[in-house]
Amino acid sequence: MSNEKLNIAVLLPCYNEAATIGEVVRGFRKALPQAAIYVYDNNSTDGTALHAMLAGATVVRERRQGKGHVVRRMFADIEADIYLMADGDGTYAPEDGEELIRTLLTEGSDMVVGTRRNVRNDAGRQGHAFGNRVFNWLYRSIFGADFTDIFSGYRAFSRRFVKSFPAVSGGFEIETEMSVHASRLKLPVSELELDYGRRPEGSHSKLSTFRDGGKILWMFAMLMKETRPFAFFGILSAVAMELSIGFSIPVFIEYFETGQVLRMPSWMLSLALTMIAFMLFTAGIILDSVARARAEQLRIHYMNLPKPSSRESGDDRTVYMAEIDKPASRRKRAKAA
């Protein structure tokens, strides 16, 4: 029997989390002693990197500001079989990490999302709670019903997912891009409902309700354009055609009553909008074929990467599962049931 074990990497993107990062790192070291813990400091000014280093984490600095830049750097730099990503603000319990990893292995998923049970209680801001509901509804309407909490930062990934994910986002919209990537390639995914804690005193959310909400809405539009171009340009085409019809109706009414076209500007605008509608519809058809080809290439690359269990025999995987199945976690699951 091989002694080779799965390599687990805990990824913690951070920006000004000195009040919590030390405790978070110590919590993951206790919950997952076999894992390597990486803290990527995103230009913090409050000593976050020092606190993380003293707690035992490997600290790397990413100068480009934004969570998306940090995640892209982490996924490119770190080699592991399983990746566990969480926030450094203490709102996610490190003890739940083993449950996410277990779900990833037992269900053969490429991504497991820890959905937030008490997300509305964290920030205490109605704008965040309302935006969370709206964007999750939009996601299900546009991209499918694979996820119920697309903004959760607590996720477990397989190597296949991480190394096939072409991250392009720069900010907090990176979680949306991850979800769309999984839905686009129809990857096996799972969700696990977990408690979501409140930030301790002295720790503040970096989210801006309107600025980040606008960025996420723009990312929705761009991802729809890239992954569902026929639907995206079809909607624009329908809007242009409706406007064309709206401008043409008075012209036709006047023509049938008088036999003359007196509203020439309206008629010319109507014709221009009709041409635009047909051009948009044609662009949607062509780009839909291009998008399908790109998805096929991504899928082929994804399938060429090894599964998390490929380095282990069946016996080794059983041993690994037994290692992370601690009595405390069993009591927690029994209480939840």
Side-chain angles (χ1 to χ4, degrees):
M1 174 170 51
S2 170
N3 293 322
E4 206 170 15
K5 296 292 195 304
L6 289 173
N7 295 324
I8 302 174
V10 177
L11 313 180
L12 301 171
C14 286
Y15 172 62
N16 286 344
E17 300 291 1
T20 56
I21 188 59
E23 189 62 31
V24 171
V25 170
R26 286 187 287 270
F28 276 109
R29 289 186 65 190
K30 182 179 179 181
L32 296 168
Q34 73 275 41
I37 301 175
Y38 300 89
V39 171
Y40 273 65
D41 178 47
N42 198 202
N43 302 315
S44 297
T45 58
D46 62 350
T48 294
L50 179 60
H51 284 78
M53 192 178 300
L54 292 175
T58 300
V59 179
V60 180
R61 185 179 181 185
E62 170 53 47
R63 295 181 180 274
R64 292 182 179 178
Q65 197 67 41
K67 186 175 182 179
H69 295 302
V70 177
V71 171
R72 180 165 51 251
R73 174 81 179 274
M74 291 191 300
F75 283 5
D77 288 354
I78 299 172
E79 299 293 332
D81 299 306
I82 294 176
Y83 300 77
L84 182 68
M85 188 177 75
D87 292 337
D89 56 10
T91 54
Y92 298 112
E95 297 78 14
D96 291 330
E98 62 179 27
E99 294 289 347
L100 291 170
I101 295 173
R102 182 182 294 105
T103 302
L104 188 83
L105 293 173
T106 57
E107 297 190 9
S109 300
D110 284 303
M111 179 170 66
V112 181
V113 180
T115 60
R116 299 166 293 177
R117 186 177 288 121
N118 297 317
V119 63
R120 298 183 190 178
N121 298 331
D122 172 52
R125 294 162 69 173
Q126 292 300 318
H128 288 184
F130 176 75
N132 190 65
R133 292 194 298 270
V134 169
F135 283 124
N136 277 293
W137 174 80
L138 276 176
Y139 183 92
R140 290 191 296 271
S141 301
I142 297 172
F143 302 106
D146 290 330
F147 302 99
T148 59
D149 186 6
I150 61 171
F151 298 129
S152 172
Y154 207 4
R155 301 178 183 228
F157 308 96
S158 69
R159 177 180 173 80
R160 293 197 300 180
F161 183 97
V162 167
K163 298 305 181 182
S164 67
F165 175 55
V168 298
S169 303
F172 283 100
E173 62 271 23
I174 188 69
E175 283 97 353
T176 303
E177 189 183 356
M178 291 176 182
S179 302
V180 171
H181 177 69
S183 297
R184 179 187 189 186
L185 298 187
K186 297 180 174 57
L187 306 184
V189 296
S190 303
E191 288 189 329
L192 188 65
E193 189 176 45
L194 304 173
D195 287 328
Y196 185 65
R198 296 179 62 90
R199 285 175 173 268
E201 187 175 353
S203 177
H204 304 284
S205 174
K206 314 303 185 301
L207 287 172
S208 170
T209 300
F210 296 104
R211 184 186 69 244
D212 290 310
K215 289 181 180 179
I216 293 168
L217 189 61
W218 178 256
M219 175 58 66
F220 267 65
M222 292 300 99
L223 288 172
M224 185 179 180
K225 178 180 71 70
E226 295 295 325
T227 63
R228 300 190 59 197
F230 182 75
F232 180 83
F233 287 100
I235 292 172
L236 295 179
S237 175
V239 171
M241 184 58 72
E242 288 180 1
L243 290 173
S244 173
I245 293 172
F247 280 109
S248 67
I249 287 176
V251 176
F252 279 113
I253 292 176
E254 187 178 59
Y255 176 77
F256 288 124
E257 289 178 349
T258 66
Q260 297 179 343
V261 178
L262 300 177
R263 304 189 184 194
M264 186 58 67
S266 296
W267 177 242
M268 296 302 296
L269 179 58
S270 175
L271 291 178
L273 287 170
T274 300
M275 294 178 63
I276 291 172
F278 278 109
M279 290 174 62
L280 289 170
F281 185 79
T282 304
I285 294 176
I286 296 172
L287 292 176
D288 187 68
S289 298
V290 175
R292 287 177 181 271
R294 291 174 60 190
E296 289 172 0
Q297 291 298 319
L298 282 172
R299 180 78 186 183
I300 290 171
H301 175 64
Y302 156 82
M303 293 177 66
N304 285 331
L305 295 168
K307 294 177 62 177
S309 59
S310 63
R311 292 177 53 195
E312 295 186 310
S313 67
D315 292 338
D316 287 331
R317 181 168 174 173
T318 302
V319 170
Y320 171 77
M321 294 297 293
E323 282 183 359
I324 66 172
D325 195 10
K326 301 175 183 177
S329 65
R330 286 199 295 267
R331 290 196 298 272
K332 183 177 181 180
R333 291 199 303 278
K335 182 178 179 181

